[in-house]
Amino acid sequence: MTEAAELPPAPEQAREVFGDRFDDAVRYAELLADAGVQRGLIGPREVPRLWERHLLNCAVLSEAVPEGVTVCDVGSGAGLPGIPLALVREDLNITLLEPLLRRTNFLSEVVELLGLDHVTVVRGRAEEVLGKLQPVHVVTARAVAPLDRLAAWGIPLLRPYGEMLALKGDTAEEELKASATALSKLGAVETSILHVGEGIVDPMSTVVRVEVGESPGGVRFAAKRAKAARTGRARRRR
């Protein structure tokens, strides 16, 4: 288990961030370093920087998430940022949405092992679950796709006046400018760039926030949602 042996000890900041769930965060890091690498969910070169680049970088997203809301982590992959967020915020109701079976199997194992009762794993693409999942207050994502494409997947899953929080890197500002027209068509009413994790991660995590109005996804997706809802009601009546 050479990959797991390369996992460095948890930094002191991890105890501060994860609190009572620190031991669970360590177990999750060990799973990523072992099974996560073996199953191709993360690269072996990521193991030495799992804490700073992945777990803590994702956990500090909690600074931007309101209390007691529903969250859908789109393209959750190995559970980033959804699992670290769940470990620090038990007040949230989180759905991990992921299309690949080997990843959803891993996510389900992690959720059961860590006793994350407020987390649900759903296999599927965002466009496939539209109208099947209850709309959420917040959509999260990390390193899934360029912002315009990510918004087209994530924004339609939001409730009216919800928000998408996308962890991005140095290109956040350029992506936001380049996506302005697409975001507007998807019902975005306000956008901003946040920096979270001061004193915990260096550099701080960059988050693109996209807030929507009363029609998440715009007119086209409103029609899709209505059609999916009608289909669902018809199936339940059978």
Side-chain angles (χ1 to χ4, degrees):
M1 201 165 85
T2 55
E3 294 87 354
E6 296 172 8
L7 179 67
E12 197 57 39
Q13 295 94 321
R15 291 187 179 274
E16 176 188 343
V17 171
F18 291 104
D20 293 342
R21 285 283 197 168
F22 171 73
D23 289 342
D24 289 328
V26 171
R27 185 68 184 117
Y28 177 49
E30 292 170 347
L31 288 167
L32 286 174
D34 184 8
V37 172
Q38 291 176 16
R39 299 187 197 182
L41 304 182
I42 65 164
R45 292 183 181 179
E46 296 302 311
V47 173
R49 50 186 185 177
L50 265 179
W51 283 106
E52 289 81 3
R53 184 179 174 89
H54 298 286
L55 274 75
L56 289 173
N57 181 273
C58 290
V60 297
L61 180 63
S62 64
E63 295 176 20
V65 181
E67 288 186 18
V69 298
T70 53
V71 177
C72 182
D73 188 33
V74 173
S76 197
L80 301 165
I83 299 252
L85 184 61
L87 286 171
V88 298
R89 294 287 301 276
E90 295 191 33
D91 60 300
L92 304 175
N93 190 327
I94 300 176
T95 297
L96 307 179
L97 181 62
E98 168 57 46
L100 294 184
L101 179 61
R102 62 187 170 88
R103 293 176 180 170
T104 53
N105 285 343
F106 176 79
L107 293 173
S108 296
E109 290 166 17
V110 170
V111 166
E112 182 176 0
L113 183 67
L114 302 185
L116 298 174
D117 297 333
H118 57 306
V119 177
T120 303
V121 178
V122 174
R123 184 185 175 197
R125 301 183 185 278
E127 57 269 33
E128 295 169 348
V129 301
L130 188 64
K132 299 175 184 176
L133 288 183
Q134 285 293 320
V136 296
H137 297 94
V138 177
V139 162
T140 59
R142 176 179 187 252
V144 174
L147 186 59
D148 55 349
R149 203 184 322 158
L150 174 59
W153 297 335
I155 286 180
L157 300 176
L158 289 170
R159 293 170 48 137
Y161 308 104
E163 59 185 343
M164 183 179 75
L165 299 172
L167 280 162
K168 286 288 183 180
D170 297 337
T171 62
E173 193 168 340
E174 289 129 12
E175 282 195 60
L176 191 52
K177 287 179 181 176
S179 305
T181 300
L183 293 174
S184 179
K185 289 180 180 177
L186 287 166
V189 295
E190 190 169 340
T191 61
S192 55
I193 294 178
L194 312 175
H195 298 283
V196 295
E198 184 175 7
I200 298 169
V201 289
D202 185 20
M204 290 191 289
S205 300
T206 301
V207 181
V208 175
R209 170 183 271 158
V210 179
E211 299 173 69
V212 300
E214 61 183 13
S215 298
V219 176
R220 183 162 63 94
F221 285 98
K224 277 189 175 183
R225 268 195 302 270
K227 181 179 179 182
R230 287 195 301 271
T231 303
R233 285 195 298 269
R235 284 176 180 163
R236 287 193 293 270
R237 284 197 296 265
R238 290 174 187 170

